[in-house]
Every structure is written in structure tokens, then in C-alpha cells.
Amino acid sequence: MITVTSTKKERPEDISIGIFAESGSGKTTLTGTIPVKNDKDLMFIDIENGLEVHKKRSFSAIKYKAVKVDPDGPIERMKEIIKFLRANPYPWIVMDSFTHLADLIKADMENRPTKYNLLTKKGDFDGLKMYGELRKEYNKLIMAFLSLKGNKVCLFGSEEKNGKIEVMMDGSFKKRVMFQFDEFWGLKVSRDKRELVINSDGVYVAKSRMNGGAGNILDTYERPDIGYILDKCYGI
């Protein structure tokens, strides 16, 4: 059976947003601007133990490090969380942050190479194979996260490289990551202001599908307020 739908959207129901910034820029604080009717409608996958900035709110949270599975490892922990959220959906889910999760996976592979089959026949650590396995695991976890019902926000760290601010994992830019998201915004912080870079500006590598689809109503730089941006596009 073929179902014909309309392109018109009253509001986003399954939007995916990636937000990147350098450490300490306030990415987690920014998530407090997500438009929820009730704080309990927002679930944090708390990987960095950095939710102190929301101590006056009542958001839901899963402490990543408190999840125990067998075998116990960063990949298994995240799969267990995603399994739980698949069975218990939330209107909004935030992963804070994928960059930190990636660091934990890399460290686990380096510390337990036998578990990941990363030793050569001579018993040496195969670093080249590790990076290949990392890419596969990163992609599988991001796609599993994005397959969850509801709106998703994933936070990433960034670094300056060749004059551009880009998402960094394992010392290299993972440009393909941004294409898996509907929106991929950079949080820009200067001495006197904070703003979201909605589209690439020559320094921040960003993108917005809402911008084009909504009649180019978003500016390159918008106020750091997720609810405001969604309201500007959809009038929610």
C-alpha cells in the first residue's frame, strides 16, 4: 500500500539536531531551551556527568556510567540505554555527549584489544584496524540513536583545524556525521555574545534543512535558543 502525505509540517515530530562547540562553551546549558511542556518529557543520556547546570529543572536522565551490562563496555552500555529508550520513548532525547562516548570506546579498544580482535597474529596491537572498527561502531551507535522515536539532540565537541571549527573525534574531522542529522549547528561564543551558527559561515561547518524548507527564514546566526528557532520555523 502506498500512502500519500503532505510536505506541510505544523511542528517537528522526529527532528534530529547535532550541536557542536568547544569544551566549556555551554552546550549542555543550551539544551535547557528545548521546548518541552513538562521537564519530564526530556530525557538526558548523561555520559559526561555534566547536568549540574540543570539542577533547578526536573529533566529525566539516565546516568550512563551507572548502567551495568555483561560484558561491561561503553558500546554495550549505550546499546542497553537505546534498547530501554526504544521501549520507553520520550518526546525529546539528548545525548551528552557523543564525543565523550567516542573517547570511551577508543580507550576501551586500546585497553582491551583482545575483546575487539585488534591483535595481529604476532600479538601486536593493530591500530589501523582499530580506527576502522571505531568508524563502524560510531556509525552504528549514531544511527541507532537517531532511529529512536521522538526528537533527538546530540552534543559534540569541536576543535579548530585549518581555520575552521569542526566536529572532532580521534583527532580527525568526521564530516559524514553531520549529514546524518536534519540540523547541525555550531555554538559560537565570543567575549560579548553567544549564538548558534545555523549554516556554514566559512569558519563553522554547519547546515540546516529547516532553513531551506521553511523559505530561508533562518539567519546564519541565531540566538542560542532551540525553542525560539523551532518557533521561527514552525510557529510552535
Side-chain angles (χ1 to χ4, degrees):
M1 179 183 293
I2 296 176
T3 302
V4 178
T5 63
S6 172
T7 60
K8 183 176 177 59
K9 277 190 175 182
E10 298 298 332
R11 61 183 177 86
E13 296 177 348
D14 192 26
I15 194 170
S16 59
I17 303 172
I19 297 174
F20 63 96
E22 296 180 344
S23 178
S25 297
K27 298 185 295 295
T28 304
T29 300
L30 176 67
T31 57
T33 66
I34 291 174
V36 289
K37 294 179 180 178
N38 186 304
D39 280 0
K40 296 294 185 182
D41 289 340
L42 193 159
M43 167 62 77
F44 274 92
I45 304 175
D46 182 18
I47 302 172
E48 295 192 12
N49 289 325
L51 298 185
E52 183 69 15
V53 294
H54 294 314
K55 61 179 178 289
K56 293 185 179 180
R57 303 290 295 269
S58 300
F59 298 132
S60 302
I62 295 174
K63 294 288 186 181
Y64 167 82
K65 292 183 179 179
V67 177
K68 300 299 180 184
V69 292
D70 187 22
D72 189 14
I75 296 173
E76 290 81 9
R77 286 183 180 181
M78 186 52 60
K79 286 181 177 178
E80 192 71 13
I81 292 172
I82 289 173
K83 179 181 176 181
F84 172 83
L85 293 175
R86 192 163 283 131
N88 302 274
Y90 282 75
W92 285 89
I93 304 172
V94 177
M95 183 185 294
D96 187 11
S97 73
F98 189 85
T99 300
H100 190 59
L101 175 63
D103 290 340
L104 293 173
I105 295 172
K106 180 174 180 288
D108 197 49
M109 286 187 172
E110 292 172 333
N111 294 330
R112 298 195 285 181
T114 303
K115 172 187 174 183
Y116 297 97
N117 193 27
L118 295 177
L119 296 178
T120 66
K121 292 181 179 180
K122 294 182 179 180
D124 298 323
F125 179 72
D126 192 337
L128 185 62
K129 183 178 180 180
M130 180 193 72
Y131 281 102
E133 292 300 311
L134 281 172
R135 286 192 293 271
K136 289 192 290 185
E137 294 298 338
Y138 293 166
N139 186 68
K140 286 191 290 186
L141 288 175
I142 286 180
M143 295 308 294
F145 173 71
L146 295 181
S147 72
L148 293 170
K149 292 182 180 179
N151 303 300
K152 279 83 59 177
V153 177
C154 193
L155 305 183
F156 296 87
S158 67
E159 295 179 13
E160 181 177 352
K161 185 178 182 182
N162 299 324
K164 294 183 177 182
I165 306 295
E166 304 173 332
V167 172
M168 299 292 289
M169 288 186 290
D170 309 327
S172 62
F173 176 44
K174 302 297 186 293
K175 189 172 183 178
R176 65 183 176 277
V177 170
M178 70 183 291
F179 295 113
Q180 297 169 339
F181 288 80
D182 300 313
E183 306 293 307
F184 209 76
W185 306 331
L187 178 58
K188 182 179 180 181
V189 179
S190 61
R191 180 173 296 180
D192 57 347
K193 73 162 78 171
R194 298 168 74 247
E195 54 193 349
L196 281 170
V197 184
I198 304 299
N199 290 295
S200 296
D201 65 353
V203 176
Y204 283 77
V205 181
K207 71 159 191 178
S208 173
R209 289 177 181 165
M210 288 195 308
N211 192 31
N216 294 318
I217 62 173
L218 292 179
D219 296 322
T220 298
Y221 305 102
E222 291 283 359
R223 69 171 72 169
D225 188 321
I226 297 171
Y228 166 80
I229 294 172
L230 294 178
D231 186 56
K232 191 174 182 180
C233 278
Y234 299 98
I236 58 173

